[in-house]
Amino acid sequence: GQQLNQSPQSMFIQEGEDVSMNCTSSSIFNTWLWYKQDPGEGPVLLIALYKAGELTSNGRLTAQFGITRKDSFLNISASIPSDVGIYFCAGRTASGTYKYIFGTGTRLKVLA
Amino acid sequence: SQTIHQWPATLVQPVGSPLSLECTVEGTSNPNLYWYRQAAGRGLQLLFYSVGIGQISSEVPQNLSASRPQDRQFILSSKKLLLSDSGFYLCASGHLEAFFGQGTRLTVV
């Protein structure tokens, strides 16, 4: 099935550092979503973006909807141990079919 | 906000046995409903989605089927499970965003 390219695939960071990850697609999306998944659980929605160029924050998390509508970025500031998990981006196609296509995930590990 | 209920949480089934996973949604009406499968350490693969009762779109050819008998009920089924059907199955519901249930871990032995 179709998936978005998400990078990096995994990263180890020190507690307190900032984290950046991104998603790119060959298709245009009209909605970008960012999720966090803990082991054995369903993904939890962190941020939703609806307009090209939109910048939205949720606490220490900030995400942006790329101006080309083919990419999105998520930044986590001052990481803490509970930020550990897998982060997924998801795009909703502009074709009106209401499908959400998911990225391949970024596995984040925070070293205390 | 809406709540997505999935059961069971874990399931071990023999090869060739039937499957029925149920998903129900509370707190919304006429949602779009989705079934995803996630292999270990991998991303989410869209299997089916539905925009209304009785309306099912299949994304990938497979051994599974889906049905939506009621507005907020989505069922994933198989007549005969294969080893390759093992995985973590997630139901999602939403309009502009997608909200997920807690998932069912299926192991086919």
Side-chain angles (χ1 to χ4, degrees):
Chain A
Q2 181 184 0
Q3 285 192 321
L4 303 174
N5 295 317
Q6 189 171 344
S7 65
Q9 186 175 10
S10 63
M11 53 196 315
F12 287 82
I13 60 169
Q14 292 287 336
E15 183 177 358
E17 289 184 346
D18 297 343
V19 176
S20 292
M21 60 191 78
N22 67 79
C23 249
T24 59
S25 169
S26 57
S27 304
I28 289 175
F29 290 110
N30 59 9
T31 302
W32 281 95
L33 308 175
W34 283 93
Y35 291 86
K36 178 176 184 278
Q37 185 179 29
D38 292 326
E41 299 185 7
V44 174
L45 182 64
L46 300 174
I47 293 179
L49 303 160
Y50 303 107
K51 295 181 182 179
E54 180 181 354
L55 186 70
T56 298
S57 294
N58 178 8
R60 293 179 295 106
L61 278 63
T62 301
Q64 185 163 23
F65 193 141
I67 197 71
T68 65
R69 297 171 65 191
K70 293 183 178 182
D71 57 6
S72 181
F73 305 86
L74 175 69
N75 295 314
I76 305 173
S77 62
S79 57
I80 58 178
S82 61
D83 290 333
V84 165
I86 303 177
Y87 291 80
F88 290 101
C89 62
R92 187 163 75 97
T93 61
S95 65
T97 58
Y98 306 105
K99 296 191 299 183
Y100 293 93
I101 307 301
F102 275 75
T104 47
T106 294
R107 186 180 297 271
L108 179 64
K109 298 184 181 181
V110 180
L111 305 175
Chain B
S1 64
Q2 56 185 294
T3 304
I4 295 88
H5 300 281
Q6 274 188 256
W7 65 92
T10 60
L11 189 61
V12 180
Q13 292 283 103
V15 169
S17 63
L19 174 73
S20 180
L21 300 181
E22 187 162 347
C23 170
T24 59
V25 181
E26 292 180 357
T28 187
S29 59
N30 196 30
N32 299 323
L33 296 175
Y34 307 84
W35 279 110
Y36 286 87
R37 177 169 57 202
Q38 186 176 30
R42 304 289 297 277
L44 282 73
Q45 181 186 34
L46 179 61
L47 303 177
F48 301 95
Y49 70 96
S50 170
V51 299
I53 296 173
Q55 301 179 61
I56 308 296
S57 296
S58 175
E59 286 298 295
V60 293
Q62 58 199 306
N63 184 41
L64 302 168
S65 61
S67 62
R68 185 172 179 174
Q70 300 181 47
D71 180 45
R72 290 172 290 175
Q73 184 185 27
F74 205 24
I75 298 171
L76 184 69
S77 304
S78 173
K79 293 182 180 179
K80 289 185 178 181
L81 284 168
L82 306 172
L83 287 174
S84 58
D85 292 324
S86 294
F88 191 46
Y89 288 85
L90 289 155
C91 176
S93 166
H95 294 97
L96 290 181
E97 304 102 5
F99 298 93
F100 284 84
Q102 288 300 296
T104 295
R105 182 161 305 282
L106 172 66
T107 304
V108 183
V109 296

